Amino acid sequence: MSADTEEHGADAPGGDAGGANGAGGAPVSPRALARRRRAEALRRFAREYTRNRAGLVGLLALSAIVLLALFAPLLVDQAELTVTGAPGAAYEPPSAEFPLGTDNFGRSVLDLIIWGSRVSLTVGFLATVVSVVLGTLVGVTAGHFGASGGPAGRVVSSVLMRVTDWFLVLPTLVLAVALAAVLPRGTGTIIIAIGLTVWPATARLVRAQTLAVEARPFVERARALGGGHTHVMAWHVLPNVMPVVLAQTTLLVATSIIAESTLAFLGVGDPTTISWGGILEAARTAGAISSGIWWYMIPPGLAIAAVALSFTLCGRALESVINPRLREQR
């Protein structure tokens, strides 16, 4: 709930039936009133989200995949994921023992996919955190100083946005491959490479939202009362742009997972871990495409597509809840 909504909610005639008084006319503390309003806002959010069927489907599918990744150590014997501990023969087709067949070493493809979900989701989430934090910081700073920082602030805003534009025009995949090739190979490198290449879109979006928030009366009152730049950005601007950031986050996770899979498929991923992209790269190297070993190639690709689609459905549902115009178009 935005700050200006909270300010005017209590002043509206008959707007808050129990705003100042609780049951029996007892006075309610400001903290209790704030908690009540937050709880009501969450209930409204949940009601609007559950009306979006596509969003519910994406949320259920995503929850199932996340639970599968969390319980992977209980479902898969790690010893059977090694080359020497493979339980089957090479390239066995799908059967009752191996529902998705085996790879060129005799390992169960289903076990590889279940275990690979841990790395793919971890990289997707952490790379998104890096991207969203960097993009939000740049976007809020550029928007705030561009709107109320004076001549010096506009210079800071212009410099930040020119850097953002420079990253935007660079080919994202090429830049990520270059970073992953230069830095030491590992999961941390992949996270940094992806996070440093997909943040500009978030920065642009947050800056636009920040400019809209900066024009609202409650921000002007905060400045008139002596609020500094840090106070205004942290307590007035950032809470009002967080809904947009949250929606952007769900969309970026899908992008990050696809980027990790692409880097692994190109051979610049972490060779010591099992991920969906790594499975595809291993299948390509082993010649599964030319040999017609479809069960080695299709399942990891479908897993990547399913997670990306789930996050996209959740992100679109969040956008429709946040933006009333999108709700009207459903």
Side-chain angles (χ1 to χ4, degrees):
M1 181 180 296
S2 62
D4 55 343
T5 304
E6 291 185 2
E7 286 187 5
H8 296 296
D11 297 335
D16 193 354
N21 299 315
V28 179
S29 66
R31 289 185 179 180
L33 182 59
R35 285 195 298 268
R36 181 186 302 174
R37 288 175 172 172
R38 284 195 294 267
E40 179 60 29
L42 289 175
R43 285 193 292 269
R44 286 199 302 269
F45 174 84
R47 284 196 300 268
E48 290 295 336
Y49 190 93
T50 53
R51 293 175 183 173
N52 190 305
R53 295 182 179 178
L56 281 179
V57 172
L59 182 60
L60 291 175
L62 184 60
S63 300
I65 296 171
V66 171
L67 288 175
L68 195 66
L70 291 175
F71 290 102
L74 302 178
L75 301 174
V76 177
D77 185 0
Q78 297 183 46
E80 295 183 353
L81 297 177
T82 61
V83 176
T84 57
Y91 295 136
E92 286 191 31
S95 61
E97 184 179 2
F98 302 108
L100 296 180
T102 61
D103 65 354
N104 54 318
F105 296 111
R107 298 175 297 180
S108 171
V109 175
L110 178 60
D111 289 349
L112 291 174
I113 292 175
I114 293 175
W115 193 263
S117 63
R118 296 168 60 85
V119 175
S120 295
L121 289 177
T122 299
V123 171
F125 280 121
L126 294 183
T128 299
V129 169
V130 174
S131 173
V132 167
V133 169
L134 182 58
T136 302
L137 180 62
V138 172
V140 170
T141 303
H144 172 76
F145 283 100
S148 60
R154 284 191 287 273
V155 171
V156 173
S157 175
S158 179
V159 170
L160 288 175
M161 296 318 298
R162 296 298 76 77
V163 172
T164 303
D165 293 339
W166 183 77
F167 273 93
L168 275 174
V169 299
L170 289 177
T172 302
L173 181 59
V174 174
L175 180 58
V177 170
L179 289 174
V182 171
L183 298 174
R185 299 185 70 175
T187 303
T189 296
I190 298 299
I191 293 172
I192 294 174
I194 296 173
L196 292 180
T197 54
V198 298
W199 64 268
T202 303
R204 277 286 181 183
L205 183 64
V206 172
R207 175 182 176 272
Q209 186 69 12
T210 299
L211 291 175
V213 173
E214 288 281 344
R216 295 180 182 176
F218 68 91
V219 175
E220 297 179 2
R221 287 197 295 270
R223 293 197 203 101
L225 292 173
H229 294 298
T230 303
H231 174 81
V232 171
M233 287 190 292
W235 294 100
H236 297 281
V237 176
L238 186 59
N240 285 276
V241 303
M242 283 308 295
V244 175
V245 172
L246 179 60
Q248 179 71 1
T249 299
T250 57
L251 299 176
L252 281 180
V253 173
T255 302
S256 300
I257 290 176
I258 294 175
E260 185 276 331
S261 302
T262 304
L263 293 177
F265 181 76
L266 294 176
V268 294
D270 187 356
T272 63
T273 60
I274 298 174
S275 68
W276 292 335
I279 298 172
L280 289 173
E281 195 276 334
R284 179 188 62 83
T285 304
I289 299 177
S290 58
S291 301
I293 313 298
W294 59 268
W295 58 86
Y296 197 6
M297 294 289 297
I298 294 180
L302 291 178
I304 296 170
V307 172
L309 179 60
S310 298
F311 274 109
T312 301
L313 291 176
C314 291
R316 296 305 181 191
L318 285 175
E319 284 185 334
S320 68
V321 172
I322 295 169
N323 191 341
R325 294 177 182 176
L326 294 179
R327 286 204 302 268
E328 295 171 359
Q329 298 173 2
R330 279 201 320 232

